[in-house]
Amino acid sequence: MSARPMRQVKVWDGWVRLVHWSIPLLLGLSWWSVQAGRMELHYLSGYTVLTLVLFRIGWGVIGSDTARFSHFLRSPLAALRHLRELGRRELEPEIGHNPAGGWMVLVLLLLLLAQPLTGLFADSGYGDYGPLAKRVSSETSDWLTGLHHRNFNLILAAASLHVLAVTAYALLKGQNLVWPMLTGRKTLPAATEPPRLGSPWRAAVLLGAAALLVYGISRLG
């Protein structure tokens, strides 16, 4: 019996891939800038992360099919059932995120959103503070500063779990999840209907709006 015909399908738009690969670099820059005492660079990196996360959340509502939360968020039971089948070396029917991966995306976005938001109110105690730190009580600022530090460790833990899952897919299921996120294309059955990709103009406007919002917040301090 002949093998099922396959073809390359565009599943990830460039906007999703921009956010996916830019944020790890920015998080590394944020960590390094603190260690090096380059706080202005740290703030700039944080503002950029906040801009990208706000854009990604908005793109999850009005963007490409595979970017939309309604497309990949399933019930927790569906995610558990999917994890039980992790050892099966068979092609998955999902075009974008699988049920378990969808929840990981949501967790990472929430953690990534919390990091710059708490940073807006953070005060190092050495003359460096976020633009909104002086608009709340010192107790609230101290609490959010501590949360800002602890949340970074949660991001590292979630990111490590994400990398572990990608590695498991490669070893147990023989599926490379990295290459599609690099190229935007995934090998799928020839009969697969390609997902609808969002308008580049809509994405550009959304990204610009997120950048303006974050810029406005940064000028409050």
Side-chain angles (χ1 to χ4, degrees):
M1 184 173 63
S2 60
R4 183 166 46 167
M6 310 290 285
R7 69 185 177 104
Q8 291 284 306
V9 177
K10 183 69 173 293
V11 296
W12 300 117
D13 60 56
W15 304 98
V16 169
R17 289 180 284 135
L18 170 69
V19 174
H20 185 276
W21 296 113
S22 295
I23 284 183
L25 296 176
L26 289 167
L27 289 177
L29 178 61
S30 294
W31 176 85
W32 174 84
S33 58
V34 169
Q35 303 304 311
R38 302 284 299 276
M39 295 308 296
E40 288 191 6
L41 186 59
H42 182 75
Y43 294 136
L44 179 61
S45 176
Y47 294 144
T48 307
V49 169
L50 181 56
T51 298
L52 290 176
V53 172
L54 290 176
F55 164 77
R56 180 62 184 89
I57 292 173
W59 198 236
V61 178
I62 65 172
S64 303
D65 285 345
T66 48
R68 297 196 179 200
F69 300 118
S70 60
H71 181 88
F72 61 77
L73 278 183
R74 317 279 178 79
S75 70
L77 288 178
L80 291 175
R81 284 195 297 267
H82 178 83
L83 290 175
R84 286 201 299 266
E85 299 174 355
L86 185 59
R88 297 183 180 179
R89 296 182 68 88
E90 58 184 23
L91 187 66
E92 293 185 346
E94 288 83 7
I95 296 177
H97 295 297
N98 59 58
W103 283 100
M104 176 56 72
V105 170
L106 182 62
V107 169
L108 281 169
L109 282 177
L110 291 176
L111 290 174
L112 290 169
L113 179 62
Q115 190 65 13
L117 286 181
T118 54
L120 295 175
F121 299 90
D123 188 341
S124 69
Y126 299 99
D128 301 307
Y129 49 86
L132 303 181
K134 302 306 180 182
R135 294 176 177 264
V136 297
S137 66
S138 59
E139 292 79 8
T140 300
S141 179
D142 290 342
W143 180 74
L144 290 171
T145 301
L147 185 59
H148 184 69
H149 293 303
R150 292 190 295 272
N151 189 69
F152 186 74
N153 293 328
L154 292 178
I155 291 174
L156 292 180
S160 299
L161 183 60
H162 175 61
V163 172
L164 181 62
V166 171
T167 304
Y169 268 81
L171 296 177
L172 299 178
K173 299 183 74 68
Q175 295 187 21
N176 186 341
L177 301 182
V178 177
W179 188 247
M181 191 56 72
L182 284 170
T183 65
R185 298 183 177 277
K186 185 176 182 180
T187 302
L188 293 168
T192 302
E193 182 178 353
R196 181 195 59 81
L197 300 180
S199 165
W201 291 107
R202 179 184 297 179
V205 170
L206 181 61
L207 182 60
L212 284 175
L213 175 61
V214 173
Y215 176 77
I217 294 174
S218 72
R219 305 307 298 172
L220 294 176

